[in-house]
């Protein structure tokens, strides 16, 4: 276990901004993770669990507590049952299941940055797939009960970019994630997303070779600056900064009366709600690709990514986020909600 004091956190995040941690602990085994959490909890010390830092906005004042960096390793495949340690790099886990083992189930989640352990936290999803569809169990350290628990999928309360782990952020530290993949003789799961189907030249619902699906996703993501590339400032982001708004029937009706809203994308969501597109709202509210003149701007490839052009502070980024949130509210009466986790700051 490595312990550093007054350690910069910015280099450990994909936005590359924010202040230092009073203490940074790097844990390489589950026992080290649990020991570090117990120590912080016993001392009444605030704890920040850190994976790949790809969904975090750390305030400029930093974090006055213990940041625990999870660096555990483990990839165990038994038939189609996969168990991975929280510290494994997610995009590498996907690559191995697809290219080395020709298994389906997480192939459309290629190229998403960060750790495997963080994927259940916001039920990571893209191109019509979510980890909730493949996760069987999550092994976590429960800080309240002070014990390791095994939560079956049904107890993880997965929904769109949400879960029990996100709802109770100070309770669970994910140690391992178990998946059930699919052996479809080298084929993918059905292509669900219209854009991917178009790109692949197939109908929605068709299957393609699993490695073809994986490559297609990486290509589509790279075109939007959604695959990490240190040389490309469009990828110095936290991915999508806002979640797609899910509107109740009454909210949707009121939204549709706004000028221009009749063209808005609309997808059915649970409980009679309608999901619309945050990227569409941002663009139509006047914030196009590349918007902004300071050190924080929208990505030149995607309106949903707020990016650091090299010297941005957290306040620069948040000022841009607030301007966009307020502009969308004014134009469409819809309140955008941030997807990344805020540390020591609010929108
Ligand atoms: C370019 C880019 C593209 C992206 N594309 C997508 C996308 O397509 N779909 C999508 O869903 N997301 C996307 N994201 C967001 C991000 O990659 C995911 O949310 C990812 O799962 C975060 O993983 P991480 O390890 O970096 O988490 P971190 O940023 O380190 O942490 C995020 C949150 O999870 C908590 N956490 C991390 N590890 C654990 C653990 N082991 N136990 C408990 N809590 C933990 C942290 O405390 C924090 O609250 C993108 C981000 C970037 C930068």
């Amino acid at each position: 276990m490595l312990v550093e004091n007054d350690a910069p956190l910015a280099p450990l995040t994909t936005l590359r901004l924010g202040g230092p941690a009073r203490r940074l602990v790097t844990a390489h085994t589950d026992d080290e993770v649990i020991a570090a959490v117990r120590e912080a909890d016993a001392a009444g010390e605030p704890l920040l669990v850190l994976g790949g830092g790809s969904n975090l906005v750390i305030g400029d004042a930093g974090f006055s507590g213990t940041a625990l960096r999870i660096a555990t390793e483990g990839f165990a495949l038994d038939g189609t049952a996969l168990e991975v340690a929280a510290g494994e790099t997610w995009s590498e886990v996907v690559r191995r299941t697809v290219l080395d083992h020709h298994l389906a189930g997480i192939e459309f989640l290629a190229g998403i940055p960060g750790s495997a352990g963080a994927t259940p936290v916001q039920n990571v999803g893209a191109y019509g797939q979510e980890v909730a569809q493949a996760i069987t169990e999550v092994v976590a350290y429960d800080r309240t009960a002070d014990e390791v628990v095994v939560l079956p999928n049904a107890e993880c309360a997965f929904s769109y970019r949400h879960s029990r782990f996100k709802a109770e952020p100070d309770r669970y530290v994910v140690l391992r994630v178990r998946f059930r993949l699919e052996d479809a003789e080298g084929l993918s799961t059905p292509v669900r997303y219209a854009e991917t189907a178009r790109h692949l030249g197939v109908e929605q619902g068709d299957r393609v070779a699993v490695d073809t699906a994986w490559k297609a996703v990486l290509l589509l993501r790279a075109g939007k600056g959604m695959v990490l590339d240190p040389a490309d400032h469009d990828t110095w982001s936290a991915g999508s900064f806002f979640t797609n708004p899910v509107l109740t029937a009454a909210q949707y009706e009121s939204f549709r009366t706004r000028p221009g809203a009749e063209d808005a994308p609309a997808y059915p969501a649970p409980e009679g709600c309608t999901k619309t597109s945050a990227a569409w709202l941002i663009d139509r509210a006047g914030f196009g690709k590349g918007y902004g003149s300071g050190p924080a701007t929208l990505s030149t490839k995607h309106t949903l990514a707020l990016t650091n052009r090299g010297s941005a502070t957290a306040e620069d980024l948040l000022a841009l986020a607030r301007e966009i949130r307020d502009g969308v509210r004014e134009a469409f009466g819809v309140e955008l909600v941030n997807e990344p986790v805020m540390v020591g700051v609010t929108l």
Side-chain angles (χ1 to χ4, degrees):
M1 182 148 49
L2 178 68
V3 181
E4 297 159 81
N5 292 317
D6 203 25
L9 289 178
L12 303 181
T13 70
T14 51
L15 271 166
R16 295 173 176 80
L17 47 75
R22 201 182 61 69
R23 195 162 168 267
L24 173 67
V25 176
T26 303
H28 294 95
T29 64
D30 288 355
D31 286 348
E32 286 183 2
V33 171
I34 295 168
V37 177
R38 279 195 176 131
E39 190 188 331
D41 285 351
E45 166 106 343
L47 181 76
L48 168 65
V49 178
L50 197 66
S54 63
N55 212 26
L56 284 176
V57 180
I58 293 173
D60 294 318
F63 183 69
S64 61
T66 295
L68 170 61
R69 191 179 180 199
I70 301 198
T72 53
E73 290 176 13
F75 177 103
L77 186 65
D78 180 6
T80 56
L82 172 70
E83 179 183 284
V84 286
E88 288 288 336
T89 300
W90 174 251
S91 56
E92 192 49 23
V93 169
V94 176
R95 192 194 63 77
R96 289 176 71 178
T97 62
V98 171
L99 294 193
D100 298 350
H101 303 283
H102 316 290
L103 293 172
I106 51 177
E107 67 279 28
F108 292 99
L109 305 176
I112 297 181
S115 62
T119 60
V121 175
Q122 73 151 3
N123 181 19
V124 153
Y127 296 96
Q129 215 169 45
E130 291 179 338
V131 281
Q133 294 159 347
I135 288 176
T136 52
E137 289 174 335
V138 174
V139 182
Y141 173 65
D142 178 343
R143 295 165 67 189
T144 307
D146 184 22
E147 64 182 15
V148 174
V149 292
V150 180
L151 297 172
N153 180 303
E155 288 178 27
C156 295
F158 288 124
S159 60
Y160 169 63
R161 295 298 169 276
H162 207 70
S163 71
R164 178 173 187 169
F165 312 104
K166 197 163 175 179
E168 296 182 78
D170 294 326
R171 180 157 179 194
Y172 298 103
V173 178
V174 175
L175 301 173
R176 283 159 195 279
V177 189
R178 295 180 179 147
F179 299 87
R180 171 67 65 193
L181 302 176
E182 187 188 342
D183 184 353
E185 297 179 348
L187 293 181
S188 69
T189 54
V191 178
R192 292 209 178 81
Y193 207 64
E195 184 190 10
T196 338
R198 257 195 320 275
H199 177 84
L200 289 163
V202 298
E203 296 295 318
Q204 278 171 271
D206 287 352
R207 294 176 186 247
V208 296
V210 69
D211 56 337
T212 304
W214 176 82
K215 276 183 210 142
V217 168
L218 284 179
L219 206 75
L220 289 170
R221 292 184 67 92
K224 297 175 188 169
M226 289 292 179
V227 178
L228 293 184
D229 173 1
D232 181 357
H233 283 284
D234 279 337
T235 74
W236 289 34
S237 77
S240 301
F241 197 88
F242 297 105
T243 51
N244 288 323
V246 178
L247 306 175
T248 62
Q251 286 169 335
Y252 184 62
E253 210 169 294
S254 147
F255 165 60
R256 295 277 292 180
T257 64
R258 297 283 182 137
E262 56 286 345
D263 304 339
Y267 310 97
E271 294 167 23
C273 292
T274 302
K275 186 157 85 173
T276 188
S277 157
W280 186 94
L281 292 167
I282 292 169
D283 188 60
R284 298 301 172 96
F287 307 103
K289 289 175 187 164
Y291 177 85
S293 52
T297 72
L298 288 185
S299 158
T300 66
K301 301 185 184 77
H302 202 298
T303 47
L304 252 190
L306 274 67
T307 64
N308 173 2
R309 308 318 290 183
S311 61
T313 62
E315 267 319 302
D316 294 328
L317 189 92
L318 290 169
L320 177 68
R322 290 179 191 124
E323 185 187 352
I324 290 169
R325 178 203 55 192
D326 295 350
V328 167
R329 187 198 294 129
E330 204 169 301
F332 294 110
V334 173
E335 190 70 21
L336 290 182
V337 174
N338 54 284
E339 183 186 295
V341 174
M342 303 276 169
V343 178
V345 284
T346 49
L347 193 57

